[in-house]
Amino acid sequence: VAAGPVLATRLARERRDVAAGLALSLLYLKQNTALLVPVALLVAGRYRAFASWAAVGVVVALIALVSMGPDGIAAYVTQLRGELPEGADNLTLEGAFGVGGTAATILRILIAAATLGIAFRLRRSPGLVIAAGAIGSLLIPPYLHGSDLCLFGVAAWIVWEEMTGRGW
């Protein structure tokens, strides 16, 4: 999952937006980890990157529907509504700050809006847009695992590359 934003950054810098969107398709392996990255690219005006990412999503959804059938989809949705594994919310708004329910939902909306506003402001730098989307994405899910935090390292590396590549 972390390789997707790295590859997308490299490709987006070269204005290869369709290929960048295809690279972001790796995010479908675990959508909640970097959900805002493609949306941030859309807000930043990278329409072709978003469209190619979304097109792959439609294909993945169709394959899942055909292979699992309606009963399999219903069973999967039922599993999603189940209890979270113990400790899965330790790294979230609920676990870190003790905020839950409506307050957590409002905070998630504010974080997502701020992330997308930052993406729009940084739209001239696709790497910074992707990094902002990655960081915002890690702040809003209802559960995270420790391994998901490697995306912070990816975001830091992308920011480092963007800043040093411009001679700052």
Side-chain angles (χ1 to χ4, degrees):
V1 172
V6 172
L7 291 170
T9 297
R10 292 287 184 185
L11 294 164
R13 278 187 198 148
E14 298 168 2
R15 302 296 297 176
R16 297 173 55 196
D17 286 356
V18 172
L22 294 175
L24 285 178
S25 296
L26 291 171
L27 301 180
Y28 287 118
L29 295 172
K30 189 164 187 216
Q31 303 89 345
N32 74 310
T33 303
L35 179 66
L36 291 177
V37 172
V39 180
L41 284 171
L42 175 65
V43 168
R46 298 295 182 125
Y47 307 115
R48 292 188 305 165
F50 180 83
S52 63
W53 168 82
V56 171
V58 169
V59 170
V60 168
L62 288 174
I63 291 170
L65 182 60
V66 169
S67 65
M68 292 172 41
D71 294 334
I73 299 287
Y76 180 69
V77 169
T78 300
Q79 278 186 334
L80 290 176
R81 292 185 183 147
E83 290 288 318
L84 291 174
E86 177 130 0
D89 69 344
N90 288 347
L91 304 170
T92 66
L93 294 172
E94 287 87 349
F97 300 111
V99 178
T102 303
T105 300
I106 290 169
L107 280 174
R108 285 186 175 101
I109 291 168
L110 291 173
I111 291 167
T115 298
L116 298 178
I118 291 166
F120 180 76
R121 185 152 192 259
L122 298 173
R123 66 188 174 276
R124 288 179 186 79
S125 172
L128 294 180
V129 168
I130 290 170
I135 292 168
S137 295
L138 288 170
L139 297 175
I140 63 171
Y143 71 93
L144 286 170
H145 299 284
S147 61
D148 297 333
L149 299 181
C150 73
L151 203 54
F152 278 126
V154 167
W157 180 81
I158 291 170
V159 170
W160 176 265
E161 285 287 312
E162 288 290 310
M163 298 307 212
T164 58
R166 294 175 181 215
W168 293 357

